[in-house]
Amino acid sequence: AQTVTQSQPEMSVQEAETVTLSCTYDTSESDYYLFWYKQPPSRQMILVIRQEAYKQQNATENRFSVNFQKAAKSFSLKISDSQLGDAAMYFCAYRSSGDTDKLIFGTGTRLQVFP
Amino acid sequence: EPEVTQTPSHQVTQMGQEVILRCVPISNHLYFYWYRQILGQKVEFLVSFYNNEISEKSEIFDDQFSVERPDGSNFTLKIRSTKLEDSAMYFCASRPGRWGHTEAFFGQGTRLTVV
């Protein structure tokens, strides 16, 4: 069974600085999808970025980018020029490309942004 | 922008009572999901639903739970006899298709409190 591990329960960053959130996963599959979701205090789950495992190029969405290391099964999220609105819980998630399409989430990293 | 809508935002119920959580997925989406998040814990998959049938369910989704798409627009989660441990945030999600990189869109969640 696939697992997702986020080893940083909490992280903090100063406004305008860069922070990296870590995520590792375990799978025997070669094709799959990885996601980062943001959960602000409102508790809604908002997709930040996604990565297809068959793509070598790291995904980027404005200030958010990932470092996808397939061999190491690592999928970290880099937030550049951090803003106060980035403060939230961040969840890494895995989805198989096979028979199941459920999302498997990590335990989350709470990001605090200080002015 | 289309969004997944969940009602109510907060439901308080007595142990042993039945509750129905409601979701209106995005209109052209075909795949529907329920996830739950116990306070402070990770988001867990409950069930996926397609073509008026459950396509996958987790161990959590026991006989106390059921899902239905009664009228072609709503997607409901029913808990027949609530327990204290059912207290959690319940998220509905939908996707337009199953395969490919189409991500799941989440609703804002329903906070269920069982007293």
Side-chain angles (χ1 to χ4, degrees):
Chain A
Q2 296 85 11
T3 58
V4 177
T5 301
Q6 293 179 253
S7 58
Q8 305 156 317
E10 288 193 11
M11 292 285 283
S12 61
V13 64
Q14 280 210 307
E15 210 174 357
E17 296 295 307
T18 296
V19 64
T20 299
L21 309 184
S22 301
C23 172
T24 58
Y25 58 94
D26 189 30
T27 184
S28 58
E29 298 178 328
S30 59
D31 197 16
Y32 46 86
Y33 305 91
L34 296 165
F35 305 87
W36 279 98
Y37 279 89
K38 171 184 177 181
Q39 187 181 46
S42 65
R43 303 294 300 272
Q44 183 159 11
M45 299 288 286
I46 303 165
L47 178 70
V48 175
I49 200 166
R50 66 168 175 256
Q51 175 80 42
E52 294 89 341
Y54 62 85
K55 289 187 177 178
Q56 291 188 335
Q57 187 172 7
N58 289 323
T60 299
E61 288 286 343
N62 301 314
R63 298 182 295 107
F64 298 87
S65 61
V66 299
N67 184 4
F68 173 49
Q69 301 289 327
K70 191 172 183 180
K73 296 178 183 173
S74 170
F75 182 61
S76 60
L77 175 70
K78 185 170 84 170
I79 307 174
S80 304
D81 186 26
S82 298
Q83 300 175 359
L84 295 176
D86 294 333
M89 197 77 170
Y90 287 82
F91 290 96
C92 178
Y94 173 102
R95 193 181 84 222
S96 170
S97 66
D99 290 340
T100 176
D101 63 344
K102 67 185 178 189
L103 287 166
I104 299 170
F105 287 88
T107 50
T109 296
R110 181 172 304 282
L111 178 66
Q112 294 182 303
V113 182
F114 295 103
Chain B
E1 187 173 329
E3 58 181 22
V4 177
T5 306
Q6 290 185 243
T7 55
S9 57
H10 190 191
Q11 173 106 33
V12 180
T13 188
Q14 287 206 324
M15 192 168 56
Q17 295 297 304
E18 173 183 288
V19 294
I20 297 176
L21 309 183
R22 303 181 191 279
C23 169
V24 179
I26 295 172
S27 63
N28 62 344
H29 286 194
L30 301 176
Y31 294 88
F32 314 110
Y33 310 85
W34 283 101
Y35 290 82
R36 81 170 185 190
Q37 184 184 30
I38 294 172
L39 186 63
Q41 298 186 23
K42 66 179 175 182
V43 179
E44 300 172 292
F45 168 78
L46 289 178
V47 66
S48 58
F49 190 86
Y50 168 70
N51 198 25
N52 282 321
E53 288 185 344
I54 290 174
S55 46
E56 186 177 2
K57 59 184 180 179
S58 72
E59 293 174 351
I60 303 167
F61 194 88
D62 61 21
D63 291 344
Q64 295 295 322
F65 292 89
S66 62
V67 290
E68 195 178 34
R69 191 157 158 80
D71 56 12
S73 61
N74 289 284
F75 179 51
T76 61
L77 174 69
K78 182 193 291 185
I79 309 174
R80 288 190 183 83
S81 178
T82 50
K83 305 171 197 163
L84 293 176
E85 54 264 38
D86 293 328
S87 294
M89 197 78 168
Y90 288 81
F91 292 100
C92 173
S94 68
R95 291 179 62 203
R98 177 169 176 146
W99 309 115
H101 62 266
T102 53
E103 68 269 23
F105 291 82
F106 282 79
Q108 78 279 23
T110 293
R111 183 187 300 276
L112 176 65
T113 303
V114 182
V115 297

